Amino acid sequence: MADLPSITNNPDIRFLGKLLGDVIRAYGGDALYERTEAIRTASVERHRGAGEQDGVDLELDRLDLDETLDFVRGFMLFSMLANLAEDRQGVTADGGADLASALDRLAQEGIDKPQAIALLQNALLAPVLTAHPTEVRRKSMIDHRNRIAALMLLRDGGATATPEGDDIEEAILRQIALLWQTRVLRRERLYVTDEVETALSYLRDVFLPALPALYQRWDRALGERTPGFLKPGSWIGGDRDGNPFVTADSLRAALGKASEAVLVYYLDAVHALGAELSISTDLTPADTAVVALADASGDGAESRSDEPYRRALSGIYARLAATHLALTGKPAPRPGPLKGDRYADPQAFRADLVVIARALAAGGGGALSSGGALGRLIRAVETFGFHLATLDLRQNSAVLERVVAELLKVAGVEDDYLALGESQRVSLLRHELSNARPLGSAFADYSDETQSELAILRAAATAHATYGPACIVQHIVSMAQSVSDLLELNVLLKEVGLYRPHGETPTAAIMAVPLFETIGDLEAAPEIMGEWFSLPEVRGVTATRGYQEVMIGYSDSNKDGGYLTSTWSLSKASTALKGVFADAGVGMQLFHGRGGAVGRGGGSAFAAIRAQPFGTVQGRIRITEQGEVIAGKYGTRDSAMTNLEAMASATLLASLEPDQLSAADTQRFAEAMDRLSASAFEAYRGLVYGTEGFRTFFREMTPIAEISGLKIGSRPASRTKSARIEDLRAIPWVFSWAQARVMLPGWYGVGQALDSFEDKGLLRDMAQGWPFFAATLANMEQVIAKSDMAIAARYAALVEDRSLADAIFPRIEAGWRQAHDGLLTVTGQSRLLEAHPALETSIRLRLPYIEPLNLLQIELIKRRRAGDADERIGEGILLSINAIATALRNSG
């Protein structure tokens, strides 16, 4: 495909686009290439303002169904390759988001490196991979994309051939040809095991090599060894909220596969070290501790009699192989000749590696003490243990309360727990937690729900004994609305030995984490946590642990109250919780449930963390990474290191920088936000929940029904069989609006709020001097730039009741115009993204490629809904959904 003038500054896009055009011509024929090029040119001309308004439609009319499928694939692949090119050029990276820059900035504030290191000693930064279904690409597509990225790196270095001898450009062309011939859509719905495998590929192939290398970089920046504060997490295989397919078996499978992956990595690393450390006692004396390891290894090979490091590593390998057998039930992939006892825990394995590292550092003036492969392996063991990533459990509070109610009833403790008031529940649950007597009986009959929940918790207890307590640390309670919701979980944990009374000093091996999701939940969070900390048993548990986690949800709060109210409610709740935690003397750890789209908390993680209320980060933060964001941020080692370092730098700055606002500004800005939020909330709720027929309008205007046909997740799109918006999951809600180019969850209500606010000067002060408000507007700005009301009007024409569409869509258009104009007024720009030229160029590049996809999607939906059963129509709709999501990037 020929290049756009707007992207001539990115030679990678021109190069990859040309190769894609060559592939389309070679495999699709000249006719397909010419028609695709004609449509592309017409769309580009239209976006330049030189083409006719209806020109693109006329070109699309020439495509038959088979050509439509090929055309959609071509535009999707171009967007995919453009994303790759931009990621390589760092278009999506934040400037100054590296640790060295953060340390320099702190130094200017009088905060030195020892203070930063002291914070990191007790810090935790955890990106948590989740299975939310907005990654519409198959893993095979992502794999080809990553191979192209690796080949492009070789090309960057001046290589003309691969290590295997293939011509570089021919190898790239081959991968693009394979992409063209790879089936885009999944034929079967994903199962939990599929989602586990996908997440595992990122953890194994990217996080395992990237994190130790990143720590080495930070060691150099800090001038000493960096405390191990960055550790990955996942809840794939443990998140059963609304997903009946997550069971004890899926939990065991997730944990077992993760452990196997990390142990194989360690075995390969130890094997490689054995080949490298050929140090002979004929040339240098051996450290006594290394000799002891060597003598205990059982390696009596004559050829290695003078090589104690190799013999020691042979013993370590044998013990690690025994550990692999014990934890996975399988022999090591490369069994060695020696036998050894399994390691009891990762610390014992690390201790043996440290013996070797210290011996190497002691000789030759420390010439071998620079870290290298051994240093990276030690860091990996500290970071990943025998579990690879901490796996979260999650369940809805309503399920937990039903299970506890049944246990109490069968045990003869309380016949109708559900009828009790909150204070009665708390009193009863506290009594149950005060003694070690279990409620359950092996001889009683329980419902399938109760048996399933207990089986999962028993599997978690077994996992703690098998892999160590770091394998599962948190159990999230969704829709937490009371103290009893958390106590119920602890009662269930007590059933399997994960909560132990121990008199006045109880312990909980797994922490109960409340998830506050709706606007009302966020407002109630401080009071609930205050009551929680008032309980003596809770004080004992948190004193032992040193902190308590609270999860705050972006998606449901947005769907409940709109973008501005959600964002502000999250900020206010965080600030209020800070005071509650301080009064209780408990460290606060917030878990941010962010999604990919701005309506679900998307946008720059660096800016988002820095925009957190002063004093709320405290060096500890966990953040969900969902859907297509995982591939975008962690698709390659380089992109993972860039994004993880940005998050780490932001965490350091947010924790140590002095407050950027004066007390007076803090008060007046907050008062202004309260007014803005109230106005935006009224507008949003009035449209979405207060407008007659809006549910029908949404379901007919957007491809929500068609999206359900995509095989993109194991979890149902709705929590119940109800068609109510309240019961629809936030992910398909946001995803559907993005497909229709409305992006309503990312801006609606904000324009009305800005327009009705009289003091525009105050708003400009807030945009310039308050990181929170600046980040809020910046995220909204990119959403508005990706939306298109002209295309949205075409989707609105899908609504059968024209009077309904004519009553609702003009309100959406007017709200968009108010948001657009209000944003420009407040930020002082003459056009969207004027202050962000790289992002502006990125979005401008995509628009001509998205519009034809939208128009084709609309026509295919019309035909499908009119009763045309041609299976190619359904395939075309699903392909277009995939292609639009790829082009928009953060749309789910």
Side-chain angles (χ1 to χ4, degrees):
M1 291 186 181
D3 59 301
L4 279 166
S6 61
I7 61 169
T8 54
N9 59 339
N10 192 326
D12 286 352
I13 295 181
R14 295 202 311 276
F15 170 68
L16 293 171
K18 178 185 179 302
L19 293 184
L20 175 60
D22 292 342
V23 165
I24 292 174
R25 187 190 293 273
Y27 289 92
D30 289 342
L32 175 65
Y33 174 82
E34 296 299 336
R35 286 191 178 179
T36 299
E37 188 63 15
I39 294 169
R40 187 200 68 79
T41 302
S43 186
V44 169
E45 290 299 318
R46 180 184 182 283
H47 278 267
R48 285 177 177 159
E52 293 295 328
Q53 179 70 28
D54 295 328
V56 177
D57 288 327
L58 293 174
E59 296 290 347
L60 292 174
D61 289 342
R62 297 173 56 193
L63 297 174
D64 62 30
L65 274 177
D66 289 329
E67 290 173 329
T68 294
L69 300 184
D70 287 338
F71 168 79
V72 172
R73 281 195 301 127
F75 269 42
M76 182 207 66
L77 290 179
F78 177 81
S79 297
M80 187 176 180
L81 294 172
N83 293 346
L84 165 63
E86 288 187 347
D87 291 342
R88 282 170 39 77
Q89 301 258 333
V91 170
T92 58
D94 296 279
D98 58 283
L99 195 70
S101 297
L103 291 172
D104 288 344
R105 187 182 183 97
L106 290 172
Q108 294 171 14
E109 301 280 1
I111 301 166
D112 57 19
K113 289 182 180 179
Q115 289 172 277
I117 293 168
L119 174 82
L120 296 179
Q121 291 288 355
N122 296 304
L124 174 69
L125 170 60
V128 181
L129 308 186
T130 81
H132 286 302
T134 55
E135 173 51 84
V136 293
R137 293 172 296 174
R138 290 177 62 214
K139 181 65 167 53
S140 297
M141 303 288 288
I142 297 171
D143 289 342
H144 287 306
R145 180 258 190 209
N146 290 343
R147 293 186 190 108
I148 294 170
L151 290 166
M152 292 292 284
L153 280 176
L154 289 175
R155 185 172 178 265
D156 292 343
T160 57
T162 68
E164 296 77 21
D166 294 329
D167 178 83
I168 288 284
E169 295 197 2
E170 289 181 1
I172 296 171
L173 179 68
R174 188 177 303 117
Q175 289 299 318
I176 295 175
L178 288 169
L179 272 174
W180 176 255
Q181 298 176 92
T182 297
R183 175 169 45 83
V184 176
L185 301 174
R186 298 184 181 96
R187 288 180 173 163
E188 303 293 334
R189 180 169 291 279
L190 279 177
Y191 294 98
V192 177
T193 51
D194 299 317
E195 294 169 336
V196 168
E197 288 288 355
T198 298
L200 187 61
S201 69
Y202 291 103
L203 292 166
R204 178 190 60 232
D205 301 336
V206 178
F207 280 81
L208 260 173
L211 276 180
L214 195 54
Y215 273 115
Q216 282 188 324
R217 181 191 300 173
W218 293 341
D219 292 347
R220 292 190 290 271
L222 287 169
E224 61 180 89
R225 199 167 192 271
T226 309
F229 70 98
L230 174 53
K231 298 182 179 181
S234 171
W235 68 16
I236 304 173
D239 173 20
R240 56 204 189 278
D241 179 16
N243 191 342
F245 306 111
V246 175
T247 63
D249 286 341
S250 66
L251 178 64
R252 282 189 286 266
L255 291 163
K257 289 177 181 294
S259 180
E260 182 177 359
V262 76
L263 288 170
V264 168
Y265 178 86
Y266 295 157
L267 285 164
D268 289 344
V270 170
H271 179 76
L273 283 171
E276 179 183 358
L277 296 182
S278 56
I279 300 169
S280 171
T281 52
D282 291 348
L283 302 173
T284 186
D287 179 270
T288 55
V290 172
V291 171
L293 272 181
D295 291 344
S297 70
D299 185 353
E302 182 63 28
S303 61
R304 291 188 292 275
S305 62
D306 65 327
E307 296 173 339
Y309 288 90
R310 279 182 164 166
R311 291 195 295 123
L313 287 164
S314 294
I316 291 172
Y317 188 94
R319 295 193 65 186
L320 197 56
T323 307
H324 183 282
L325 178 62
L327 297 189
T328 70
K330 305 175 186 177
R334 188 192 296 112
L338 303 179
K339 301 297 182 183
D341 296 329
R342 61 161 288 186
Y343 284 110
D345 51 45
Q347 292 73 32
F349 174 39
R350 178 188 179 277
D352 282 354
L353 297 175
V354 169
V355 166
I356 295 175
R358 286 176 177 166
L360 291 172
L368 297 177
S369 65
S370 60
L374 177 57
R376 289 191 293 274
L377 176 57
I378 292 172
R379 180 66 82 173
V381 176
E382 295 169 351
T383 304
F384 303 104
F386 287 161
H387 62 283
L388 183 58
T390 297
L391 181 63
D392 288 358
L393 304 181
R394 183 169 79 133
Q395 184 54 284
N396 194 287
S397 61
V399 174
L400 300 179
E401 96 177 346
R402 289 196 298 268
V403 171
V404 168
E406 183 173 8
L407 289 174
L408 289 168
K409 182 176 182 177
V410 173
V413 176
E414 172 56 54
D415 281 344
D416 195 357
Y417 171 78
L418 298 180
L420 299 180
E422 175 65 9
S423 61
Q424 293 172 300
R425 290 188 182 191
V426 169
S427 178
L428 175 57
L429 296 170
R430 290 185 64 199
H431 175 73
E432 287 301 322
L433 288 172
S434 67
N435 64 80
R437 171 187 55 80
L439 281 171
S441 169
F443 306 103
D445 292 327
Y446 297 104
S447 66
D448 290 344
E449 182 176 65
T450 293
Q451 292 184 58
S452 176
E453 288 301 307
L454 291 176
I456 285 171
L457 295 179
R458 290 190 192 103
T462 300
H464 269 224
T466 305
Y467 308 109
C471 70
I472 301 174
V473 176
Q474 288 93 357
H475 188 304
I476 298 147
V477 180
S478 301
M479 299 301 292
Q481 297 175 334
S482 64
V483 167
S484 64
D485 289 339
L486 302 179
L487 291 175
E488 286 158 3
L489 173 58
N490 278 340
V491 166
L492 296 178
L493 291 173
K494 183 171 76 76
E495 289 295 298
V496 299
L498 292 172
Y499 180 100
R500 296 181 181 274
H502 294 308
E504 295 183 359
T505 57
T507 59
I510 293 179
M511 174 172 38
V513 177
L515 167 52
F516 300 112
E517 300 176 84
T518 66
I519 301 300
D521 292 343
L522 289 168
E523 291 173 348
E527 181 179 353
I528 293 172
M529 295 311 297
E531 294 174 4
W532 178 244
F533 291 136
S534 72
L535 303 179
E537 55 270 38
V538 171
R539 285 199 299 271
V541 169
T542 53
T544 300
R545 185 181 291 114
Y547 68 96
Q548 167 70 45
E549 179 171 288
V550 170
M551 185 174 185
I552 50 178
Y554 289 65
S555 301
D556 283 291
S557 61
N558 176 282
K559 186 162 70 74
D560 183 35
Y563 175 63
L564 196 67
T565 300
S566 168
T567 305
W568 181 231
S569 296
L570 289 160
S571 180
K572 288 177 67 176
S574 300
T575 299
L577 285 168
K578 178 183 69 171
V580 172
F581 276 70
D583 291 343
V586 177
M588 183 170 74
Q589 177 173 296
L590 291 180
F591 185 11
H592 295 260
R594 304 172 81 230
V598 167
R600 300 203 303 114
S604 163
F606 179 76
I609 295 172
R610 293 201 62 201
Q612 291 303 305
F614 177 71
T616 61
V617 177
Q618 301 177 9
R620 305 188 67 90
I621 188 169
R622 296 206 306 148
I623 301 173
T624 54
E625 300 286 25
Q626 304 182 4
E628 80 283 0
V629 170
I630 296 175
K633 293 176 68 172
Y634 308 114
T636 66
R637 171 177 152 168
D638 288 339
S639 62
M641 291 176 69
T642 297
N643 285 287
L644 290 171
E645 182 158 28
M647 292 166 65
S649 303
T651 300
L652 198 63
L653 290 169
S655 302
L656 291 176
E657 272 192 309
D659 196 349
Q660 303 299 303
L661 294 180
S662 66
D665 279 347
T666 297
Q667 181 175 348
R668 71 188 185 109
F669 289 174
E671 290 173 352
M673 274 304 303
D674 281 337
R675 286 163 30 216
L676 288 169
S677 174
S679 177
F681 180 80
E682 181 181 3
Y684 175 84
R685 293 286 303 187
L687 175 72
V688 175
Y689 298 103
T691 300
E692 183 72 25
F694 186 83
R695 180 179 69 190
T696 300
F697 172 84
F698 160 68
R699 291 190 174 275
E700 293 185 5
M701 175 186 173
T702 73
I704 177 65
E706 289 74 19
I707 285 171
S708 65
L710 272 176
K711 309 299 189 295
I712 56 177
S714 67
R715 197 165 68 168
S718 289
R719 290 184 170 90
T720 70
K721 294 182 179 180
S722 163
R724 299 191 318 154
I725 292 174
E726 292 90 335
D727 296 320
L728 181 70
R729 293 193 180 279
I731 298 158
W733 164 256
V734 172
F735 197 47
S736 301
W737 285 116
Q739 287 285 313
R741 301 294 298 286
V742 182
M743 315 283 189
L744 183 138
W747 55 265
Y748 194 83
V750 183
Q752 293 91 323
L754 295 176
D755 187 53
S756 63
F757 197 90
E758 294 181 357
D759 191 347
K760 298 298 191 289
L762 174 56
L763 295 180
R764 285 189 284 270
D765 288 345
M766 292 163 63
Q768 293 172 9
W770 191 13
F772 164 80
F773 196 57
T776 299
L777 294 179
N779 287 338
M780 186 180 80
E781 184 176 8
Q782 95 172 252
V783 167
I784 293 176
K786 290 181 180 180
S787 60
D788 188 315
M789 288 300 106
I791 293 176
R794 303 286 190 98
Y795 280 92
L798 294 170
V799 179
E800 291 185 13
D801 185 339
R802 295 316 308 153
S803 62
L804 180 64
D806 292 342
I808 294 177
F809 187 69
R811 292 172 61 186
I812 294 175
E813 283 186 300
W816 184 91
R817 175 55 58 188
Q818 285 180 304
H820 173 277
D821 295 350
L823 187 143
L824 294 182
T825 298
V826 171
T827 59
Q829 298 178 107
S830 62
R831 66 178 189 278
L832 291 176
L833 300 173
E834 182 179 7
H836 306 281
L839 183 56
E840 180 186 24
T841 298
S842 171
I843 292 176
R844 282 183 59 211
L845 159 68
R846 281 164 169 70
L847 296 181
Y849 294 86
I850 303 174
E851 181 178 42
L853 296 170
N854 284 123
L855 298 175
L856 278 174
Q857 184 182 89
I858 291 166
E859 291 307 311
L860 291 170
I861 289 174
K862 283 181 182 177
R863 292 177 62 175
R864 180 67 174 269
R865 292 181 183 179
D868 193 329
D870 191 317
E871 63 181 18
R872 292 173 297 174
I873 292 176
E875 183 179 357
I877 292 171
L878 299 184
L879 275 173
S880 69
I881 291 170
N882 190 306
I884 292 167
T886 300
L888 290 173
R889 306 205 77 171
N890 54 343
S891 62

